[in-house]
């Protein structure tokens, strides 16, 4: 496995680059905007293909690299279902698996620092975001934080992991890089409490100043989308309502770009083909399945995904590859569902 812990010294943020092998798919957790060039250089040097960029929560102390990484690599941006960001390409929730080639991370919903805080467990290690820090815990006094919820996330979930589980947080301000669940149970001063009330009391007495970047970072991190507006301006988008009229028409091919797990969980649009987004380039180049389908049948190609972000990128790529009929459903299956479009389970 390739595992890199990367540090942004301005915000003391750790980002993690993961891949199962050199030459394979990679995932990055909590990337920082100013470091995007460095990440991409490392990705190239290690001969990796960045396919997913994940934020553990909406950060208040730095601007996320998610949007820039998506724009530059066409990777899938991932956040939890509770994150109030305008657009991410994929949303996950407790019990889901976040996968790339050769790796699978279990998604844990661990609110408290914020109400959109998630942790990601990968075998012997857990990426705890700002829920559990080394000898500390994330503050709970803004962004819908809750010390009660954090206590449950800590004592009810993270601290129940095996003691030897390695803890990789989103920040450290002292220079520590890694800890373990057992070590934190014993030595983390915030975890030496006897009850939820004691923890709430402890957290209420911290009296921390707001992060310097907060007024800039939070609004910026909530607006990472807008690839779709550009596609709509080019006339390559249909609304969910328009798409409903296209279902079953012989001259239309609906193409679902989501992963199998998303299809099983949320259902599919009737009679749509499945062509997962990571295989897109192969499928749309001359000789590829979708390219040949479009050429041989003259069918109009209508992409969709969960929220319209992957499909917006797919439309641009397909148009670039010469599939002039390519368009997508603006807002994706989310808009389709809100418009009461039929679904197959
Ligand atoms: Fe945070």
């Amino acid at each position: 496995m390739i595992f890199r812990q990367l540090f942004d010294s301005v915000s003391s943020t750790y980002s993690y680059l993961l891949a199962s092998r050199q030459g394979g798919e990679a995932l990055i957790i909590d990337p920082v905007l100013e470091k995007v060039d460095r990440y991409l250089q490392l990705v190239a040097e290690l001969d990796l293909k960045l396919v997913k960029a994940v934020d553990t929560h909406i950060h208040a102390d730095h601007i996320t690299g998610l949007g820039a990484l998506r724009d530059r690599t066409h990777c899938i941006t991932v956040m939890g279902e509770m994150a109030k960001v305008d657009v991410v390409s994929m949303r996950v929730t407790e019990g889901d698996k976040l996968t790339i080639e050769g790796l699978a991370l279990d998604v844990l919903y661990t609110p408290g620092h914020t109400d959109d805080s998630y942790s990601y467990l990968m075998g012997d290690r857990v990426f705890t975001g700002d829920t559990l820090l080394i000898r500390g815990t994330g503050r709970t006094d803004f962004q819908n934080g809750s010390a009660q919820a954090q206590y449950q996330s800590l004592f009810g979930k993270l601290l129940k992991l095996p003691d030897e589980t390695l803890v990789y947080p989103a920040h450290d301000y002292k220079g520590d890089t890694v800890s373990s669940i057992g070590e934190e149970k014993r030595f983390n001063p915030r975890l030496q409490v006897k009850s939820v009330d004691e923890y709430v009391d402890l957290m209420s007495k911290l009296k921390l100043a707001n992060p310097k970047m907060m007024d800039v970072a939070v609004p910026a991190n909530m607006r990472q989308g807008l690839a779709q507006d550009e596609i709509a301006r080019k006339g390559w988008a249909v609304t969910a309502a328009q798409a409903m009229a296209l279902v079953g028409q012989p001259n239309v091919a609906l193409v679902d770009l989501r992963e199998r797990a998303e299809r099983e969980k949320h259902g599919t649009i009737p009679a749509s083909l499945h062509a997962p987004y990571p295989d897109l380039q192969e499928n749309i180049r001359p000789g590829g399945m979708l390219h040949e389908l479009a050429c041989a049948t003259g069918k109009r190609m209508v992409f969709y995904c969960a929220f319209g972000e992957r499909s917006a990128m797919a439309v641009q790529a397909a148009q670039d590859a010469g599939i002039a009929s390519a368009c997508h459903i603006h807002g994706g299956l989310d808009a389709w569902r809100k418009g009461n479009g039929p679904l197959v389970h």
Side-chain angles (χ1 to χ4, degrees), residues 57-60 113 130 171:
H57 62 288
I58 296 177
H59 296 283
H113 167 58
D130 291 354
H171 293 288

Side-chain angles (χ1 to χ4, degrees), residues 2 9 15 19 28 52 64 113 126 146 203 219 255 269 294 316 318 331:
I2 293 170
S9 56
S15 309
I28 193 164
K52 284 183 182 162
T64 174
H113 167 58
V126 61
S146 156
M203 294 305 283
V255 180
I269 295 177
Q316 184 65 60

Side-chain angles (χ1 to χ4, degrees), residues 30-224:
D30 287 331
V32 175
L33 178 62
E34 287 78 9
K35 295 286 175 199
V36 160
D37 284 340
R38 172 62 191 136
Y39 307 143
L40 294 178
Q41 183 191 357
L42 184 59
V43 162
E45 287 165 351
L46 299 177
D47 188 26
L48 299 172
K49 180 171 190 273
L50 186 70
V51 295
K52 284 183 182 162
V54 188
D55 266 349
T56 51
H57 62 288
I58 296 177
H59 296 283
D61 59 349
H62 67 268
I63 297 178
T64 174
L66 251 59
L69 287 170
R70 174 203 57 208
D71 293 345
R72 291 177 60 180
T73 69
H74 297 157
C75 68
I76 297 173
T77 51
V78 184
M79 285 193 79
E81 275 185 353
M82 292 297 289
K84 294 174 197 72
V85 290
D86 58 348
V87 195
V88 288
S89 315
M90 182 186 287
R91 287 176 184 271
V92 291
T93 188
E94 172 93 15
D96 284 353
K97 279 199 189 299
L98 176 64
T99 59
I100 59 168
E101 173 207 353
L103 293 179
L105 284 68
D106 292 303
V107 182
L108 305 173
Y109 179 45
T110 51
H113 167 58
T114 63
D115 62 353
D116 68 350
S117 289
Y118 291 74
S119 299
Y120 293 88
L121 175 66
M122 187 178 71
D124 66 348
R125 61 199 66 196
V126 61
F127 303 97
T128 53
D130 291 354
T131 304
L132 177 58
L133 304 173
I134 299 172
R135 308 299 190 265
T137 56
R139 62 194 295 174
T140 57
D141 55 336
F142 55 72
Q143 288 184 281
N144 298 317
S146 156
Q148 283 96 338
Q150 191 169 52
Y151 181 90
Q152 299 305 339
S153 295
L154 290 164
F155 287 87
K157 275 183 197 165
L158 293 175
L159 300 183
K160 288 193 167 159
L161 295 171
D163 275 1
E164 58 275 20
T165 308
L166 297 171
V167 172
Y168 284 102
H171 293 288
D172 193 85
Y173 305 95
K174 312 172 298 295
D176 292 330
T177 54
V178 60
S179 181
S180 72
I181 292 292
E183 200 180 307
E184 291 311 308
K185 271 190 202 163
R186 271 178 289 148
F187 302 119
N188 188 324
R190 301 255 177 99
L191 304 181
Q192 310 310 312
V193 292
K194 300 275 180 299
S195 67
V196 61
D197 292 340
E198 205 182 316
Y199 186 73
V200 170
D201 187 54
L202 178 85
M203 294 305 283
S204 71
K205 289 181 175 148
L206 294 179
K207 305 259 184 303
L208 301 165
N210 280 348
K212 288 188 227 52
M213 285 280 285
M214 185 169 163
D215 295 337
V216 180
V218 173
N221 288 339
M222 290 174 79
R223 282 192 300 274
Q224 285 298 308

